[in-house]
Amino acid sequence: MEAESSESIPPIKAIAEKPRRKSTRKRSITIFIIVSLLNVALLGLLWSQLLTPAHNADTSQTSVSPLVGKSAPNFTLAALNARSASNISLASFKGKPVVINVWNSTCAPCIQEAPLLQTEWQHVQSQSQGVVFLGIDFQDARSDGLSFLQKYGVTYPNVLDASGSVAISYGVTGTPETIFINRQGVVVQKVIGELTAQTLQSNLQLVSR
């Protein structure tokens, strides 16, 4: 009787090993899940960094335009003002540095840079530097262009390029874009996007030499 009873009772070591195996398996599964989640999160972070463009404080961008180093194409367009229907020709500014700013009344960056251009225009006028600012209203309605100039207090000369042909001849694909022309009538720089004070100043020094 004693022998039969002892055989039916499992060894103490075997009883202890069963929970230990279950515990080890559960821990391994938990670690595997945590590692997998961390890997997925890391891959997601790396992917989002690849898809997100870099943000710079200066939104303007110097363009390597085919026109740089060449004579600026001449043009004649109707003046954008309420007083007269006269024309303005680029050739009339021969011998003077010219800053051509291409804009549109619906362009948000154009609105942002308008005060900067107006302030700098007043500054160069007071200093008698001879620099000419000329705005080109690109593919816009005349009434909208006039409203823009009045609303933002722009006083330097502007012309209307309703068809967009003149701006396109300068390689303009959108607004705003700014072309800097020196005293010899040569394009020395083209800036795509909203101007900053630093970009404007550095290019003004470039054309005023």
Side-chain angles (χ1 to χ4, degrees):
M1 289 291 293
E2 289 179 4
E4 190 175 327
S5 174
S6 62
E7 286 177 2
S8 62
I9 300 172
I12 294 174
K13 184 177 179 181
I15 295 174
E17 283 180 351
K18 286 181 180 181
R20 189 182 303 165
R21 287 173 186 168
K22 288 181 180 179
S23 175
T24 302
R25 189 179 303 127
K26 188 182 292 184
R27 190 183 303 114
S28 298
I29 293 171
T30 303
I31 292 171
F32 175 77
I33 291 171
I34 291 172
V35 171
S36 298
L37 289 173
L38 288 173
N39 285 334
V40 170
L42 181 60
L43 286 172
L45 178 62
L46 291 172
W47 184 249
S48 67
Q49 291 297 317
L50 287 173
L51 293 179
T52 304
H55 295 282
N56 298 318
D58 189 347
T59 57
S60 60
Q61 174 185 337
T62 300
S63 168
V64 182
S65 170
L67 282 177
V68 173
K70 298 179 181 179
S71 296
N74 188 35
F75 59 85
T76 300
L77 290 170
L80 190 60
N81 60 59
R83 295 185 298 277
S84 66
S86 60
N87 293 331
I88 295 178
S89 174
L90 180 64
S92 64
F93 304 120
K94 186 177 180 180
K96 296 181 180 180
V98 181
V99 178
I100 296 178
N101 178 252
V102 185
W103 58 277
N104 180 280
S105 62
T106 61
C107 161
C110 302
I111 295 171
Q112 295 295 324
E113 71 179 6
L116 172 64
L117 285 164
Q118 176 61 25
T119 299
E120 193 58 40
W121 161 249
Q122 292 173 325
H123 175 71
V124 297
Q125 285 291 98
S126 66
Q127 298 295 319
S128 301
Q129 296 179 15
V131 179
V132 175
F133 278 34
L134 179 63
I136 297 181
D137 187 8
F138 177 60
Q139 293 183 336
D140 208 358
R142 182 178 180 83
S143 58
D144 292 338
L146 288 171
S147 296
F148 180 97
L149 298 180
Q150 183 178 9
K151 183 174 181 179
Y152 300 105
V154 177
T155 60
Y156 53 84
N158 274 265
V159 292
L160 178 62
D161 185 15
S163 67
S165 59
V166 170
I168 290 170
S169 72
Y170 276 82
V172 173
T173 57
T175 55
E177 291 191 20
T178 308
I179 299 101
F180 295 85
I181 304 168
N182 66 15
R183 298 179 189 276
Q184 290 72 43
V186 175
V187 176
V188 297
Q189 198 64 271
K190 179 182 175 187
V191 177
I192 296 174
E194 182 184 338
L195 287 168
T196 63
Q198 182 180 358
T199 302
L200 182 55
Q201 284 294 332
S202 61
N203 283 292
L204 280 173
Q205 291 174 9
L206 196 62
V207 297
S208 299
R209 291 174 182 172

